Amino acid sequence: MADIVFRSLFPSIQKHFISTSAAFYSSSASVSRPFAVEYLMNSCGLPLKSAIAASNKILLDEKNLKKADSVLDLLKSRGFSSTQIAKLIGKRPALLHCKVEGNLKPKINFLVENGFKGTLLPQLIVRNPRILLRALDSHIKPSVEFLKGFIDNEVKFIAAIGRASWLINFDWKGTGKPNIEYLISVGMPISNISKFIVLQPRSLLQKPDRMIYAVECVKKMGIEPCTPMFVHSLRAMLSMSETTWKKKFEVLKSLGWSENQIVFAFKRNPFCLACSEEKLRRNTDFYLNTMKLDLDTIISYPNLLVFGIDQRLRPRYNVIKVLQSNNLLEGKKKIVWLFTLSEKDFRDNYVLKHVDEVPELLQIYDVTGKKKRKVM
């Protein structure tokens, strides 16, 4: 009986299997495009998975590869390595359809003329392939000329683009230009605007009313736009929302700070208020209750709020206690000053220097710091 039932169902099962298999192979063929995958792997260096993904974004005709080959020849002639070409085409396979003479070459020549020579060119393009897909005359040139109007030093210009490659293909007329014009109107010198662009260009993309609010807050604290500290203060202000800014004030007030003391510390190191609320609490607690420092000392050294407890403060504190107990701290230097030293200086002068007298010192320092520190 069961055999009869199976024989009656077999034709429908077979038909379903055949139709499903046909759909599968049809789908695979449309997804993989065998010739395109082969070209992307053999000529562009993409791994199989990336080649299959890229093949869906570009049509490659095996009878006409002149354009694609010329793009690859151009990249190789400009110093792109095989790895860089693979990354670039993997990100933007559409580049293989671009004309070399009337499109890619003029853009590349323009970038080279503006400082991106040697290895800098492929590094920039691989990081941000969209540059080559933007129009030279309406996007790339205006952006570069706008930026160079404020950054007249090529080294700083390259550094700014290295930090934020999107600067080259960004439309500055929308938000950036009005903000810069406003900063100039309140007395910020071009040299400071240049520094601002190099250090934190995204801050210039704030909405104009947000920029105005931040500038007014910084000015009310007595920091003038013409001073170098104004750049850092404004950067710190723009790194957080108005609500977060007010919360930081409330946290420090709850820890015993007055508003004048907060402003004083901010003027000495604006980024002390860029720390999280939790970090402000933990660091203050460590200094007051573990190290037994007074609040005035913390206010005088606002850098202390920025340091990490596990990576810097506790390991150094443990070393200092051992040195004190062995009468190995020379002179009358303030203990707090030792926390501001670079990692290399502290390790060389206060750890390695005394390992003969106190062999366990290095172990105390490394184990407590969990070896997470970087030599600066």
Side-chain angles (χ1 to χ4, degrees), residues 74 78 104-115 121:
L74 173 65
R78 288 298 186 171
L104 297 182
K105 188 177 283 187
K107 294 172 187 176
I108 286 178
N109 288 342
F110 179 76
L111 293 173
V112 171
E113 289 166 5
N114 281 275
L121 178 69

Side-chain angles (χ1 to χ4, degrees), residues 232-243:
H232 305 296
S233 303
L234 188 57
R235 285 175 60 208
M237 274 289 299
L238 291 171
S239 70
M240 64 191 96
S241 67
E242 181 181 345
T243 302

Side-chain angles (χ1 to χ4, degrees), residues 39 49 71 89 129 154 201 217 222 224 282 298 333:
Y39 182 85
K49 187 176 180 180
V71 170
I89 301 303
E154 187 173 279
C217 281
E224 293 300 321
R282 286 189 68 215
I298 302 173
K333 295 173 182 174

Side-chain angles (χ1 to χ4, degrees), residues 4 28 118 208 212 254 277 281 284 341:
I4 294 172
S28 296
I212 292 170
S254 72
E277 295 166 41
R281 289 192 180 95
T284 301
L341 292 175

Side-chain angles (χ1 to χ4, degrees), residues 23 81 84 128 152 173 208 228 235 243 250 270 302 330 344 356 359:
S81 68
Q84 288 170 327
N128 184 7
D152 56 1
K173 295 178 182 177
R235 285 175 60 208
T243 302
E250 293 307 313
E330 301 170 1
K344 185 177 186 308
D356 289 338

Side-chain angles (χ1 to χ4, degrees), residues 199-251:
L199 294 175
Q200 199 165 338
R202 286 197 183 275
S203 294
L204 293 169
L205 308 186
Q206 301 281 340
K207 292 181 179 179
D209 58 343
R210 171 69 181 137
M211 180 66 76
I212 292 170
Y213 170 81
V215 167
E216 290 303 313
C217 281
V218 174
K219 286 171 65 179
K220 284 179 183 177
M221 287 187 280
I223 305 170
E224 293 300 321
C226 60
T227 63
M229 187 54 74
F230 188 83
V231 176
H232 305 296
S233 303
L234 188 57
R235 285 175 60 208
M237 274 289 299
L238 291 171
S239 70
M240 64 191 96
S241 67
E242 181 181 345
T243 302
T244 302
W245 170 258
K246 290 177 179 178
K247 281 183 180 178
K248 301 289 178 68
F249 263 69
E250 293 307 313
V251 167

Side-chain angles (χ1 to χ4, degrees), residues 250-275:
E250 293 307 313
V251 167
L252 290 175
K253 284 181 180 179
S254 72
L255 296 172
W257 296 53
S258 70
E259 191 156 321
N260 287 337
Q261 288 172 326
I262 297 172
V263 171
F264 175 83
F266 180 81
K267 290 168 74 172
R268 298 198 71 174
N269 182 358
F271 287 98
C272 67
L273 259 69
C275 299

